[in-house]
């Protein structure tokens, strides 16, 4: 089909058709020619111009609406992005503040634990130091009396009595000073171990024994009996201070919670070697852990005695030390009224401490 402009702007079109004739069975070509006058063509153009113009205006209007909508959406997205960035900065600032607060609380909890140790050692030291002071004071009084008797007349019996009394006082003072020396050594072991970051080979029996003797005064005040069943041959390569800190948190936690409404009780610490690992158990016969906090006991700031000033970080720190620093795991069994038992499993040597 072709379209050709002819005379007087008339339009001519033509088409070639191939028709098959039935009686001759041949295909003959036929040509069809049409002529469209110029005035009729102009009318067709005019009739089509108005709908086209209306369609163009409508399309332009719709395109304008779409562009306006997209610009509004872009502006809204930009506003939301700025708002999200602002909120992100605020959340980051709040998270930093929370992290600093948590670190401060952790340090406060550590200092509180150390304070308990210091209080226990001070209580233990007061008795032998007081006894030594009394002995020295008595010897001083006896010496004054001896000087007076020398000026008035000293007998052999007076001298013998002075020597016997002095010898007894010196022996008692020596015994008390040896006890003070042992207490100071024990406290130094605990303090140095807790500040050490180097794994060492140590006896768990001795570490737990030092800790229990330090907590005896607090246990006596709570009327709680502390028993230890740990083989003296159990030696491990790790951080002794962390084990001391973990067990102190568990024991003092029992003092505060397990026996809050009981007149007496018992806390038992046992340990047994199991292949390349060893298991430590801390069991009490107290009131047990409340059912509503058992599933969150290792989360930070969870406590049933916040009114007593507890921060709720003790058990969280225990879980972090056991699992993250010592490569172990901790579980517990508890039922209200039937006591609680914490079961911890540790490797005999830290993976990164074998070559220490």
């Amino acid at each position: 089909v072709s379209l050709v402009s002819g005379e007087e702007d008339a339009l001519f079109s033509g088409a070639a058709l191939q028709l098959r004739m039935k009686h001759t069975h041949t295909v003959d070509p036929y040509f069809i020619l049409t002529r469209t006058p110029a005035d009729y063509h102009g009318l067709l153009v005019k009739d089509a111009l108005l709908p086209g113009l209306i369609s163009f205006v409508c399309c332009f209007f719709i395109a304008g609406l779409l562009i306006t909508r997209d610009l509004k959406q872009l502006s809204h997205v930009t506003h939301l992005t700025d708002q999200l960035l602002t909120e992100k900065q605020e959340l980051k600032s709040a998270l930093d503040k929370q992290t600093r607060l948590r670190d401060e609380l952790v340090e406060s909890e550590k200092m509180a634990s150390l304070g308990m140790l210091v209080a226990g050692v001070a209580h233990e030291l007061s008795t032998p130091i007081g006894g030594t002071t009394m002995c020295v004071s008595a010897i001083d009084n006896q010496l004054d009396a001896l000087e007076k008797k020398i000026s008035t007349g000293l007998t052999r019996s007076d001298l013998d009595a002075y020597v016997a009394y002095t010898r007894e006082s010196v022996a008692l003072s020596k015994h008390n000073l040896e006890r003070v020396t042992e207490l100071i050594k024990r406290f130094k072991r605990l303090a140095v171990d807790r500040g050490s970051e180097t794994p060492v080979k140590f006896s768990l029996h001795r570490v737990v024994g030092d800790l229990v003797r330090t907590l005896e005064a607090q246990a006596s005040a709570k009327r709680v009996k502390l028993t230890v069943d740990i083989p003296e041959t159990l030696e491990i390569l790790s951080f002794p201070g962390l084990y001391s800190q973990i067990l102190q948190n568990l024991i003092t936690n029992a003092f505060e919670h397990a026996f809050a409404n009981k007149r007496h009780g018992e806390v038992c610490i046992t340990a047994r070697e199991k292949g390349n690992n060893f298991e430590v158990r801390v069991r009490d016969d107290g009131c047990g852990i409340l059912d509503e906090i058992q599933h969150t006991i290792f989360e930070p700031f969870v406590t049933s005695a916040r009114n007593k000033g507890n921060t709720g970080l003790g058990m969280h720190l225990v879980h972090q030390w056991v699992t993250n620093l010592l490569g172990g795991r901790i579980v517990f069994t508890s039922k209200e009224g039937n006591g609680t038992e914490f079961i911890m499993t540790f490797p005999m040597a830290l993976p990164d401490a074998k070559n220490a």
Side-chain angles (χ1 to χ4, degrees), residues 77-96:
V77 169
T78 303
H79 175 70
L80 289 178
T81 302
D82 295 338
Q83 186 176 357
L84 286 175
L85 289 175
T86 302
E87 293 178 354
K88 180 181 177 182
Q89 293 296 330
E90 292 176 353
L91 288 174
K92 186 176 182 299
S93 177
L95 181 61
D96 292 339

Side-chain angles (χ1 to χ4, degrees), residues 247 250 267-269 280-284 340-342 344:
L247 292 174
L250 292 176
V267 176
C268 183
I269 305 102
V280 179
R281 294 173 178 255
V282 179
R283 177 180 52 81
D284 66 71
T340 303
E341 183 177 30
F342 288 92
M344 296 167 286

Side-chain angles (χ1 to χ4, degrees), residues 18-36:
Q18 302 291 334
L19 298 179
R20 180 180 297 275
M21 306 307 292
K22 290 184 178 182
H23 59 284
T24 61
H25 300 286
T26 60
V27 178
D28 297 329
Y30 287 85
F31 298 94
I32 299 176
L33 298 175
T34 60
R35 177 180 178 278
T36 303

Side-chain angles (χ1 to χ4, degrees), residues 68-80:
T68 303
R69 186 196 65 181
D70 290 342
L71 290 175
K72 288 183 178 180
Q73 290 181 348
L74 180 61
S75 176
H76 183 62
V77 169
T78 303
H79 175 70
L80 289 178

Side-chain angles (χ1 to χ4, degrees), residues 18-235:
Q18 302 291 334
L19 298 179
R20 180 180 297 275
M21 306 307 292
K22 290 184 178 182
H23 59 284
T24 61
H25 300 286
T26 60
V27 178
D28 297 329
Y30 287 85
F31 298 94
I32 299 176
L33 298 175
T34 60
R35 177 180 178 278
T36 303
D39 53 352
Y40 182 73
H41 177 260
L43 291 175
L44 291 177
V45 172
K46 290 179 181 179
D47 290 342
L49 183 61
L50 183 59
L53 182 61
I54 294 174
S55 299
F56 174 76
V57 172
C58 291
C59 291
F60 183 80
F61 179 73
I62 293 173
L65 290 177
L66 294 176
I67 293 174
T68 303
R69 186 196 65 181
D70 290 342
L71 290 175
K72 288 183 178 180
Q73 290 181 348
L74 180 61
S75 176
H76 183 62
V77 169
T78 303
H79 175 70
L80 289 178
T81 302
D82 295 338
Q83 186 176 357
L84 286 175
L85 289 175
T86 302
E87 293 178 354
K88 180 181 177 182
Q89 293 296 330
E90 292 176 353
L91 288 174
K92 186 176 182 299
S93 177
L95 181 61
D96 292 339
K97 290 181 181 178
Q98 183 180 4
T99 302
R100 288 196 298 269
L101 177 61
R102 183 190 62 188
D103 294 341
E104 291 175 0
L105 288 174
V106 168
E107 291 301 321
S108 175
E109 189 78 12
K110 290 181 180 179
M111 292 303 296
S113 298
L114 185 59
M116 293 180 186
L117 282 179
V118 172
V121 171
H123 183 272
E124 291 288 334
L125 289 174
S126 62
T127 300
I129 290 177
T132 304
T133 303
M134 291 178 60
C135 290
V136 173
S137 177
I139 292 174
D140 185 56
N141 293 334
Q142 289 292 322
L143 183 60
D144 291 339
L146 181 64
E147 288 179 344
K148 291 179 181 180
K149 289 181 179 180
I150 290 175
S151 60
T152 58
L154 180 64
T155 64
R156 180 59 185 262
S157 59
D158 292 334
L159 184 59
D160 290 341
Y162 172 77
V163 171
Y165 186 86
T166 302
R167 181 177 288 110
E168 183 180 357
S169 298
V170 169
L172 183 59
S173 298
K174 183 179 178 181
H175 173 74
N176 286 331
L177 289 176
E178 288 175 351
R179 185 178 175 189
V180 168
T181 302
E182 178 61 27
L183 288 171
I184 292 175
K185 287 181 179 179
R186 189 191 313 159
F187 179 71
K188 286 177 64 178
R189 283 199 301 265
L190 289 173
V192 171
D193 287 345
R194 294 189 180 201
S196 174
E197 295 181 355
T198 303
V200 295
K201 193 171 185 179
F202 64 95
S203 168
L204 186 63
H205 176 82
R206 194 193 73 176
V207 169
V208 177
D210 288 344
L211 175 65
V212 168
R213 283 189 290 271
T214 304
L215 296 175
E216 279 179 351
Q218 191 175 355
S220 177
K222 298 286 186 178
R223 296 184 179 180
V224 176
K225 180 182 179 182
L226 294 176
T227 60
V228 178
D229 181 14
I230 299 176
E232 296 184 7
T233 57
L234 180 57
E235 292 188 347

